[in-house]
Amino acid sequence: RCSCALAMAAVFAVTWILAAGLSHSGSRLGLFSATHTGSRLGPLSAAGPSETTGQPRYVPHRERPTSSALPDETFAVINSAKRANMNWRGVPMLKSPFDAMALIEVLREQRPATVIELGALAGGSALFIADQLQALSVAPSHVFSFDITIERLHPNALRAQLSRNLSFFPADVRNLGAVLSDEFMARLGRPLLVLEDAHVNVRGVLEWFDAHLREGDYIVIEDTVDPAKAEAVRDFLASQPEGRYAVDAHLCDYCGPNMSWNP
């Protein structure tokens, strides 16, 4: 178990950070895993070392270790407690405390004008992000959260749409273009942070957003402790040109080596 951050001509995060190298257009992307998170960065050589390990901050995905400093037994205990208790303002939020801390750091560093979350569930994660952006004085900013149905949203999350930088919509991640048109994506405020937490069509989602990410954007892939999701990420990265994506080791190891639900 581990988490990874990739930097590319874009970056991915939650399961943590993927940072990409040169894209076809010459921009850089990153991926931050805890979910996997990615963002678009400048030249990787310009990035400093990880504050946690002192090693290079952005490294190729194949060079990341797969082990975690979090023992399996401890992981199981925390995972059970997370599902039972983790919430934001009374709304269930199925993020580990490690991933929540790393996500706050992504928001602080990248200051995204737009966040797109796939997998709203009860709405706690989107509400958490919207509140953090306000606390960090990131304005203007807006969080768009999607799920196959919005019937599971908590009343507190639904009410928050009336007064906060937050919107929920139904969407099928197998057909993102039906909701997120090219025109909509082109008009979004940047930087853009994408969080993939839908667990459906993972590689298809990565390929779809790969065409829409710009320099300075991030994409996060959550819960890569799921072997199927981890395999989808590996397959996607294997299909990309050498150097297009890299892992943000600082955020992947934010609380310790691969201490995340997003290896």
Side-chain angles (χ1 to χ4, degrees):
R1 186 176 64 254
C2 71
S3 66
C4 81
L6 294 181
M8 168 183 150
V11 179
F12 294 85
V14 197
T15 290
W16 293 114
I17 297 171
L18 279 180
L22 291 176
S23 70
H24 299 300
S25 62
S27 60
R28 289 185 181 270
L29 299 175
L31 175 57
F32 171 48
S33 157
T35 322
H36 285 96
T37 299
S39 75
R40 292 187 178 264
L41 306 175
L44 299 183
S45 59
S50 164
E51 297 173 18
T52 306
T53 65
Q55 301 300 311
R57 177 162 182 171
Y58 300 102
V59 299
H61 182 261
R62 64 179 181 275
E63 295 182 10
R64 283 289 298 172
T66 57
S67 60
S68 171
L70 191 63
D72 289 345
E73 297 80 4
T74 306
F75 173 90
V77 171
I78 295 174
N79 194 52
S80 177
K82 174 195 77 170
R83 290 182 171 276
N85 302 318
M86 195 71 171
N87 73 89
W88 182 250
R89 295 204 287 124
V91 183
M93 181 180 76
L94 300 185
K95 282 188 176 14
S96 77
F98 307 116
D99 294 341
M101 290 170 63
L103 179 55
I104 292 173
E105 186 68 2
V106 172
L107 299 173
R108 184 190 69 81
E109 285 192 338
Q110 300 303 318
R111 302 182 66 81
T114 305
V115 177
I116 294 177
E117 177 187 57
L118 305 180
L121 196 60
S125 173
L127 181 58
F128 174 78
I129 294 167
D131 283 350
Q132 300 311 311
L133 289 172
Q134 287 194 332
L136 291 165
S137 299
V138 180
S141 64
H142 201 90
V143 180
F144 298 93
S145 185
F146 300 88
D147 212 319
I148 190 68
T149 175
I150 58 174
E151 295 178 357
R152 296 175 295 181
L153 288 171
H154 191 281
N156 291 354
L158 285 169
R159 283 193 293 268
Q161 296 180 102
L162 301 175
S163 59
R164 283 180 169 74
N165 49 341
L166 173 62
S167 301
F168 294 99
F169 298 96
D172 188 340
V173 297
R174 293 164 294 192
N175 187 17
L176 284 172
V179 176
L180 302 174
S181 66
D182 291 344
E183 294 76 14
F184 175 82
M185 295 298 297
R187 292 197 308 267
L188 290 177
R190 305 285 173 144
L192 167 66
L193 169 62
V194 177
L195 296 97
E196 189 290 313
D197 198 13
H199 298 253
V200 176
N201 189 34
V202 176
R203 179 167 178 177
V205 167
L206 294 178
E207 291 173 343
W208 191 89
F209 276 105
D210 182 66
H212 294 279
L213 291 172
R214 300 177 187 173
E215 184 174 351
D217 293 347
Y218 265 69
I219 182 168
V220 174
I221 303 137
E222 308 250 11
D223 298 322
T224 48
V225 291
D226 176 350
K229 291 196 79 170
E231 182 178 5
V233 174
R234 287 194 299 269
D235 289 348
F236 167 75
L237 293 173
S239 72
Q240 299 300 305
E242 179 72 22
R244 182 171 175 84
Y245 288 92
V247 173
D248 186 326
H250 168 58
L251 288 175
C252 288
D253 299 336
Y254 193 72
C255 296
N258 278 325
M259 287 187 65
S260 166
W261 267 238
N262 312 300

